[in-house]
Amino acid sequence: MLRPQDTSTRERKNLDGIWSFRLDAESAGRDKRWYAGPLTDAGDMAVPASFNDVSADAAVKDYFGDIWYQRTVRVPRGWDGQRIVLHFESATHRATVWVGEHEVMSHEGGYTPFEADITEFVTAGEEVLVTALINNTLSFQSIPPGVIEQRPGGPAQVYWHDFFNYAGIHRSVWLSATPQARIEDLTVVTGFEATTGSVEWTVEAVDQDGLDVHVVLRDASGTEVANGTGNNGTLSVADVTLWAPGAAYLYDLEVQLVDDAGTVRDSIHQNVGIRTVEVRGIEFLINGEPFQFTGFGMHEDHSVIGKAHNNAHLVNDFALLDWIGANSFRTSHYPYSEDVLDYADKHGIVVIDETAAVGLNMGLGGGIFGGQGYKTFSPETINDDSREVHAQAIRELIARDKNHPSVVIWSIANEPESDTEGAEDYFRPLFDVAREADPTRPVGFVNVMLAPHGKCRVSQFADVLMLNRYYGWYVNTGDLAGAEIAWTEELEAWAGDGKPIIITEYGADTLPGNHSLTPQPWSEEYQVDYLDMNHRVFDSIDAVVGEHVWNFADFATTSGIMRVDGNKKGAFTRDRRPKSAAFALRRRWKKDAR
Ligand code: GCB
C-alpha cells in the first residue's frame, strides 16, 4: 500500500477537521444502521485526536467500546473516471468503515494504515457520507493485549502497558484519486561500493498490460542521476552522497507507468536515502562505520490531543532532540505517524521501529512488578490467534516503513515474558515473519529485567540485544553504588553473547522542581546522578553501542499508586520544559555544546 500522494497523475484530499462523534456502549449502532444517515445525538470530535481528553467528561476519558465517527465529503468534481480510495493512516485499535450504506473495509490494529477502493460508491462532484465505527477495547487477542474484568463497580478495561490507552482517529484521513492502471507498491534496497551507490527497486503494478515501468533517480537539486526500466532492477549512482546519521541526504525516485506513445499514465515519488546497515560481531554499522545510539524511548503523547499526530509538536520534538544531541530514538511502543519517519529521514535521525506488542507479560503491569493473575501464554490468554494478530502487525509495520532510511532495526515487542518455553515457542516464528518481510535490517525485541542473562530464551533469535534496566530505580532504589555493581555484573554477562547491546530504557521518575542535597529518588539531582552511574557502566563495556534514556518527556498513564499524574521519567516535562537531566545529557551527547 502506498500512502496517498499528489503527483502528476494522482491527487488527494484531506478529511481532517471536526467529525460527528457518538459513543455506543450498547454496541447498538451497527444493527440500527447508524451509518445509513446522519448520526443522531452526536457531539463533535477533532480528527486527528485521541477522543479521551478532548471533552470534559470522565465517562469519555475512560470509555471503552464502540465509538462512531462521521462526516460528509464532496468528491472533487475533476475525479471522474479515476480510481477513488479512502485511506486512514490509523484508527485505534480497530475500525469498520462505511461509505454511504456500503461497508467498505475493516482493520485490526491501531497504528498502521488501511484503505479501500470506493470508486463504485461515489460520484465525482457529489457529497457522500463517511462513517467509521472505531472500537478501542483490548483483549488477549489484540496487540497490545488487555482484558475486560467484571468488577463490583462494573466492567473495567485492564491492560499491562504503562501508557494511557488513548484511542480514536490519531492521524490523517484521505480521499485520493489514482489511475486505474497504477503502481501499487514499491520496495527499495540501497547499497554502495566505494563511491558508487546502488538502488535496487521492485515495483508491483495493477492493470499494467502494455505499460512499462520507468524509474528516474534525481539528486537533491533535481538533477537526474540514473534511470532504468522494468518492474525491478538496480540503479547505479556515481559519486554517491550517502544518507548518514546527522547528515541526511535524500534522492527522489520517481516511478512511472508509461504507455507505447510515451505518455506517463501513473507516477509516484519516493525519498531514497542510500545507506547500509549491518551487525558485525559486537558492532552496529551504518555505512560500514560503527554507530553509537544516543537518544530516547519516546511516546506520541501530548495534552488535549493525546496520541494524535501534530506537526508543530513534531518539529518541536525534533528541535529538542537536536538541542540535546540525540541521534536516534525508538518508536516505543507502537508505530508512529509516517510524518515522524519522513521527518527522521530528512533530518538524519536514526529510528528503532517498534510494533505495538507491549504488555505481553503477566509478571508486570503499568510499572509494577508482580503477578497480574493470568498466565501470559496459554490457550485462554495470549495464544495462537494472538500470535497471528502479532505477525500481521509485524508485516504491516514493515510494509509501511521498509523504504525509510532512518529505520535501522525492527523491534517486534517490548518487554514480553521471555524466560519460558511458551515465550520461546511464541516468538521463534515471529522473528521469521520479520526476516521474511525484510531480509535487510536487523531484528530484535526489548528484553525486561525479569528475564536476565541466562534466563532469557528469546534473545537467542535477536541480531541486536535491546535491554531495559532500572538499577537504582525499581531495584537498588536510592542505592546507586549497589546499583552500579549489580548492573555492571549483569551487563558483562550479556556482553559475553558477542552481540551489540543497546540499552533501550534506563530512567528515574523525577518531579520537576524537586531538589535535594542528598541523593533522593524523585529529585532532579537524583535523576542526574542515576544517569551518570548508568553511563559509567555503559562506558566500561565495549558491546554497549547505544543508550536510550526512558523517556524523552513525561507522559500520560493510567492512574495508580505508582504514577503521579503519569510517568515522570522524562528528561523534559510533558510540555517540553527541560529538567536538570536534559542539560546533563546535552553535556554528554553534545560535547562541543556549552
Ligand atoms: C518499562 C516499560 C515502559 C515503562 C517503564 C517505566 O520497562 O517498557 O513502558 O513506562 O518501564 O517507567 O516503568
Side-chain angles (χ1 to χ4, degrees):
M1 185 191 310
L2 294 170
R3 201 178 183 197
Q5 353 182 316
D6 285 305
T7 71
S8 60
T9 62
R10 294 177 173 224
E11 267 179 276
R12 59 182 187 166
K13 175 171 176 163
N14 186 279
L15 303 196
D16 298 354
I18 295 184
W19 292 45
S20 294
F21 174 83
R22 182 171 170 182
L23 304 181
D24 179 14
E26 312 295 320
S27 291
R30 194 189 271 266
D31 286 347
K32 293 190 175 155
R33 295 167 45 86
W34 286 3
Y35 48 84
L39 266 186
T40 52
D41 298 325
D44 293 330
M45 188 48 64
V47 171
S50 297
F51 67 79
N52 311 76
D53 289 348
V54 170
S55 70
D57 186 348
V60 177
K61 166 124 192 161
D62 291 318
Y63 176 84
F64 56 91
D66 285 352
I67 307 138
W68 293 78
Y69 282 76
Q70 191 182 63
R71 66 163 283 167
T72 53
V73 53
R74 186 176 294 280
V75 179
R77 64 199 159 100
W79 286 9
D80 203 17
Q82 301 287 297
R83 174 177 169 268
I84 299 174
V85 173
L86 179 61
H87 180 103
F88 283 70
E89 293 189 3
S90 71
T92 313
H93 292 281
R94 62 191 62 77
T96 300
V97 180
W98 289 262
V99 168
E101 296 191 21
H102 309 281
E103 184 177 321
V104 296
M105 58 181 150
S106 287
H107 180 257
E108 174 69 28
Y111 304 94
T112 43
F114 52 100
E115 66 179 29
D117 179 341
I118 60 166
T119 317
E120 59 179 309
F121 308 122
V122 298
T123 308
E126 293 190 4
E127 278 196 336
V128 66
L129 201 56
V130 174
T131 308
L133 166 58
I134 312 279
N135 178 283
N136 67 339
T137 57
L138 299 174
S139 74
F140 280 113
Q141 278 65 54
S142 64
I143 293 292
V147 70
I148 294 172
E149 290 184 351
Q150 300 304 328
R151 294 182 175 172
Q157 171 77 75
V158 174
Y159 49 90
W160 305 282
H161 54 268
D162 184 33
F163 55 92
F164 192 80
N165 185 29
Y166 282 119
I169 303 179
H170 287 149
R171 299 171 192 160
S172 286
V173 183
W174 301 94
L175 208 55
S176 79
T178 75
Q180 298 290 350
R182 63 190 183 275
I183 298 147
E184 189 68 3
D185 197 19
L186 165 70
T187 307
V188 161
V189 176
T190 64
F192 68 95
E193 201 71 60
T195 58
T196 304
S198 62
V199 177
E200 194 185 312
W201 82 89
T202 308
V203 168
E204 275 176 37
V206 176
D207 289 348
Q208 202 193 329
D209 293 351
L211 303 176
D212 290 329
V213 172
H214 286 195
V215 298
V216 181
L217 191 73
R218 298 185 179 89
D219 67 15
S221 70
T223 306
E224 181 175 324
V225 294
N227 63 60
T229 53
N231 285 46
N232 48 63
T234 304
L235 296 173
S236 171
V237 187
D239 292 326
V240 64
T241 305
L242 297 177
W243 185 98
Y249 187 92
L250 295 175
Y251 291 86
D252 171 61
L253 182 70
E254 182 178 1
V255 182
Q256 303 170 329
L257 281 184
V258 182
D259 65 18
D260 287 345
T263 308
V264 175
R265 301 271 296 276
D266 193 15
S267 157
I268 61 152
H269 290 263
Q270 171 70 52
N271 282 332
V272 174
I274 300 178
R275 58 107 183 90
T276 59
V277 173
E278 189 194 342
V279 168
R280 194 189 299 150
I282 59 166
E283 290 184 317
F284 192 92
L285 307 175
I286 299 182
N287 299 337
E289 304 279 331
F291 180 66
Q292 286 279 337
F293 297 74
T294 62
F296 300 94
M298 296 182 76
H299 264 301
E300 291 185 310
D301 177 84
H302 293 280
S303 63
V304 184
I305 62 172
K307 294 213 167 300
H309 175 70
N310 173 278
N311 280 325
H313 286 308
L314 167 70
V315 174
N316 179 236
D317 282 355
F318 273 70
L320 297 181
L321 291 174
D322 181 48
W323 173 84
I324 208 166
N327 61 19
S328 55
F329 65 89
R330 176 169 58 118
T331 71
S332 39
H333 295 306
Y334 36 83
Y336 289 3
S337 159
E338 290 158 83
D339 288 333
V340 176
L341 296 169
D342 284 345
Y343 206 76
D345 290 344
K346 284 194 180 110
H347 292 270
I349 294 283
V350 169
V351 176
I352 300 175
D353 209 0
E354 189 159 275
T355 69
V358 53
L360 287 72
N361 194 334
M362 298 308 134
L364 66 155
I368 304 180
F369 296 107
Q372 302 295 316
Y374 299 94
K375 190 166 188 255
T376 305
F377 299 106
S378 79
E380 292 74 38
T381 55
I382 298 174
N383 57 22
D384 290 350
D385 291 342
S386 321
R387 184 170 57 194
E388 195 33 57
V389 176
H390 192 162
Q392 182 61 15
I394 294 170
R395 287 187 205 105
E396 288 187 22
L397 171 73
I398 295 177
R400 193 194 73 161
D401 292 347
K402 62 189 172 186
N403 292 331
H404 288 285
S406 56
V407 174
V408 301
I409 298 175
W410 304 115
S411 167
I412 65 170
N414 179 72
E415 296 196 344
E417 177 179 300
S418 65
D419 57 348
T420 56
E421 193 181 343
E424 190 173 333
D425 292 344
Y426 179 90
F427 275 103
R428 185 186 297 106
L430 292 181
F431 278 86
D432 295 340
V433 166
R435 292 199 171 97
E436 197 179 307
D438 179 9
T440 73
R441 287 178 180 85
V443 182
F445 82 106
V446 172
N447 163 285
V448 65
M449 185 150 210
L450 299 174
H453 187 262
K455 291 233 168 87
C456 182
R457 299 172 63 149
V458 176
S459 49
Q460 57 174 318
F461 305 125
D463 298 309
V464 180
L465 300 172
M466 296 191 277
L467 308 179
N468 291 353
R469 290 296 184 273
Y470 288 91
Y471 288 99
W473 187 255
Y474 289 122
V475 293
N476 305 95
T477 316
D479 169 19
L480 292 178
E484 188 163 347
I485 293 166
W487 195 185
T488 308
E489 201 177 307
E490 194 196 343
L491 208 42
E492 276 171 351
W494 283 107
D497 285 3
K499 296 181 184 180
I501 301 172
I502 301 169
I503 311 306
T504 32
E505 287 183 28
Y506 59 112
D509 282 275
T510 303
L511 210 54
N514 178 27
H515 294 290
S516 176
L517 281 172
T518 58
Q520 296 298 312
W522 291 93
S523 69
E524 294 205 29
E525 289 72 19
Y526 187 80
Q527 190 182 27
V528 171
D529 290 351
Y530 169 97
L531 295 175
D532 283 349
M533 178 278 287
N534 272 274
H535 296 150
R536 281 196 299 278
V537 175
F538 306 162
D539 292 347
S540 72
I541 293 176
D542 289 344
V544 174
V545 300
E547 53 196 48
H548 278 178
V549 172
W550 191 255
N551 186 287
F552 172 70
D554 296 346
F555 58 91
T557 64
T558 45
S559 48
I561 51 165
M562 296 281 282
R563 295 287 175 257
V564 186
D565 187 32
N567 188 308
K568 296 280 187 239
K569 295 191 186 71
F572 297 93
T573 61
R574 199 181 190 209
D575 59 357
R576 277 41 179 178
R577 282 180 284 171
K579 299 179 190 172
S580 302
F583 296 95
L585 288 169
R586 186 171 193 256
R587 281 192 290 276
R588 175 172 169 86
W589 292 342
K590 227 175 180 173
K591 295 200 175 65
D592 50 349
R594 299 171 48 194

